[in-house]
Every structure is written in C-alpha cells, then in structure tokens.
C-alpha cells in the first residue's frame, strides 16, 4: 500500500516503518492495544511509536490512529475521469498521461525542474507543490528568475516540465533546447499541436485552448484549469502504479 499521503514518510527509521505497517494492517484493534501494546507487538519502545506520530504530523497516538483509519476507509472506487480528461486533450493519446505518471513514479535521485512564465507560472507553482507533497525532489523557476537557476543545476536534473499556452514563448524554448542538449527528458503542456515546444519535447501534451490568439489572456479560457485537471488525472494514474 502506498503511504504517500503521510508527511515525512521518506524519513522514517526501519522501526518506525515497521510500526506504521503494523498500524495499517491492524487498524481495528490498535486502539485497544494502546501505545504499550503496539510497541510490544513490534519489539520496540513506546518512544518509537510516539516519535512516529510526531514525524507524521500528529499530536499523539490516538490522533494518528484515527487519521490512519480515515485513510484506510477512503472509498477505493475513485471516479475514473479519464473520459473527461480525454475530452480536453487535443489529439494527445491517453498513453502520454500514463508515460508522464511513470516518469514521476520512476524519478531517480535527480530533480524534476518545472518552468513557466506569465499565467502559466501559476499552474507550474501548483504542480511544483503537488510533486513536493508526493515526496519528489523538485525545483521551479519562472520568467523573473535568473537563467542561472536552471543552468547551474543541469547536472542534477533528470526531467524538465514546462507549461506554455502558445508553445512559442522564447524563454521556455531556450530551456527546452538546453535540456534536450543535455539529454534531459522534456515534458511539455501547451495549447496547440503545432508549436515549437511541442516539436522539441520528448512527451508533449496538448490541452484544449479556447482562445489560441488571446496572447494577453483577456477572455474566459479553460486552458489553465484544463492543465491542472489533466495533471490531477496524471496523479490519479501515478497513485495506481
């Protein structure tokens, strides 16, 4: 069972991980066992159990128990929104979303770098925070940041994710070209099939753009919400891996 929901999950000791496994597998009876009973069942100390609760961000053993129970009792038959996602993808195979999720899942010790400018930077910030919450090593920069942020970390980057409504933003194109030269995998989300970034990317995803010629984003447009919707669909696939 994946534990990505929990805080600091990657910082647990072996003993703490064993206790968490025990709590997950025996959730209906651990409250009766209490801290001492759980510690005894795992041949460890009560301080290990309490330290686990603190690391996971809970005030104590009882809160940890109820939060785990809540996590376990979440409906497993989540709504599959793949059809909705496909309706806002423009000529992009659903397999691209699966590939995107696989790349996130198989991330190595290097960083995922996220870059966007203008309104796209808002969506990029969301993606950055979401990946951080999943325990992924990420960096982000926008048009206002020095190019040195990207250049100085090239050796530590395995994947570049860029967002560009037009697919022709020069600052983004420059990052994509540089990443390609360094054999860094480029995942892009743009608003059209025919654009420079789309052609340069190893995994281009195209979201529906209601106003392709609206460079100033003056009109009502679902492109940016679509980006986040599709990204959440990718995370849904990631959760199933």
């Amino acid at each position: 069972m994946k534990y990505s929901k929990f805080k600091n999950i990657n910082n647990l000791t072996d003993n703490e991980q064993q206790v968490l496994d025990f709590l997950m597998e025996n959730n209906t009876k651990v409250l009766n066992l209490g801290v001492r009973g759980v510690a005894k069942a795992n041949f460890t100390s009560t301080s290990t159990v309490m330290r686990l609760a603190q690391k996971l961000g809970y005030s104590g053993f009882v809160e940890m128990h109820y939060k785990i129970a809540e996590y376990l009792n979440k409906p497993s038959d989540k709504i599959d929104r793949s059809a909705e996602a496909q309706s806002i993808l423009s000529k992009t195979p659903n397999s691209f979303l699966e590939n995107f999720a696989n790349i996130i899942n198989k991330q190595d010790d290097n960083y995922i770098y996220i870059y966007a400018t203008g309104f796209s930077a808002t969506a990029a910030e969301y993606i950055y925070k979401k990946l951080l919450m999943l325990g992924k090593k990420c960096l982000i920069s926008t048009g206002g940041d020095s190019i040195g942020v990207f250049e100085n970390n090239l050796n530590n980057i395995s994947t570049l994710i860029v967002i560009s409504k037009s697919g022709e933003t020069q600052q983004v194109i420059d990052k994509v070209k540089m990443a390609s030269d360094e054999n860094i995998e480029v995942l892009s989300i743009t608003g059209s099939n025919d654009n420079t970034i789309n052609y340069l990317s190893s995994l281009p995803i195209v979201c529906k753009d209601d106003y392709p010629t609206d460079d100033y984003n003056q009109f009502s447009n679902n492109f940016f919400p679509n980006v986040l919707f599709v990204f959440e669909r990718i995370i849904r696939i990631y959760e199933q891996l």
Side-chain angles (χ1 to χ4, degrees):
M1 181 176 293
K2 284 190 173 294
Y3 296 158
S4 57
K5 166 78 175 178
F6 299 109
K7 180 180 178 182
N8 294 324
I9 192 64
N10 295 322
N11 297 325
L12 302 183
T13 65
D14 290 342
N15 284 344
E16 291 163 352
Q17 182 65 59
Q18 179 182 324
V19 171
L20 179 57
D21 291 340
F22 180 85
L23 295 175
M24 297 286 282
E25 294 167 7
N26 303 276
N27 188 256
T28 57
K29 62 182 182 182
V30 294
L31 201 57
N32 291 329
L33 290 175
V35 178
R36 293 183 184 277
V38 170
K40 183 178 180 181
N42 288 275
F43 304 99
T44 188
S45 64
T46 56
S47 60
T48 298
V49 180
M50 298 309 296
R51 194 162 51 243
L52 171 64
Q54 292 173 352
K55 279 191 177 181
L56 297 182
Y58 306 129
S59 59
F61 175 76
V62 174
E63 182 185 6
M64 177 170 62
H65 160 72
Y66 283 116
K67 289 296 183 182
I68 290 175
E70 180 181 309
Y71 178 69
L72 290 173
N73 292 326
K74 287 179 67 177
S76 58
D77 55 339
K78 294 181 181 178
I79 299 173
D80 186 348
R81 299 192 180 277
S82 56
E84 290 180 66
Q86 199 59 48
S87 71
I88 61 177
L89 291 169
S90 180
K91 298 181 181 179
T92 301
N94 197 56
S95 60
F96 277 37
L97 304 189
E98 296 170 1
N99 291 340
F100 200 129
N102 271 301
I103 290 169
I104 293 173
N105 186 50
K106 294 177 181 178
Q107 183 202 7
D108 54 23
D109 291 333
N110 289 327
Y111 285 86
I112 296 173
Y113 196 100
I114 304 163
Y115 184 80
T117 66
F119 284 96
S120 295
T122 302
E125 182 77 17
Y126 179 89
I127 290 173
Y128 166 70
K129 290 181 178 179
K130 186 80 172 189
L131 291 176
L132 282 182
M133 289 300 295
L134 293 174
K136 303 300 176 181
K137 296 169 66 175
C138 300
L139 294 170
I140 186 173
S141 64
T142 63
D145 296 317
S146 167
I147 191 171
V149 177
F150 182 66
E151 290 181 340
N152 294 337
N153 288 282
L154 279 174
N155 292 334
N156 300 314
I157 299 170
S158 60
T159 305
L160 172 66
I161 299 175
V162 297
I163 304 169
S164 173
K165 178 176 175 290
S166 68
E168 298 293 347
T169 306
Q170 192 59 49
Q171 288 168 289
V172 183
I173 292 173
D174 292 341
K175 304 293 186 303
V176 171
K177 287 182 175 178
M178 197 178 303
S180 298
D181 290 342
E182 297 294 327
N183 295 317
I184 294 171
E185 194 149 26
V186 179
L187 315 183
S188 66
I189 306 177
T190 66
S192 71
N193 291 285
D194 186 16
N195 63 67
T196 303
I197 291 173
N198 203 28
Y199 291 134
L200 293 173
S201 300
S202 48
L203 186 62
I205 291 176
V206 181
C207 285
K208 183 180 178 183
D209 181 4
D210 300 319
Y211 286 97
T213 59
D214 181 18
D215 295 336
Y216 297 105
N217 197 32
Q218 292 176 305
F219 303 108
S220 174
N221 194 337
N222 286 329
F223 171 73
F224 298 107
N226 286 345
V227 169
L228 298 185
F229 183 90
V230 168
F231 180 71
E232 287 296 345
R233 173 60 194 162
I234 291 167
I235 296 304
R236 174 74 181 102
I237 297 170
Y238 163 82
E239 291 174 342
Q240 296 173 327
L241 296 175

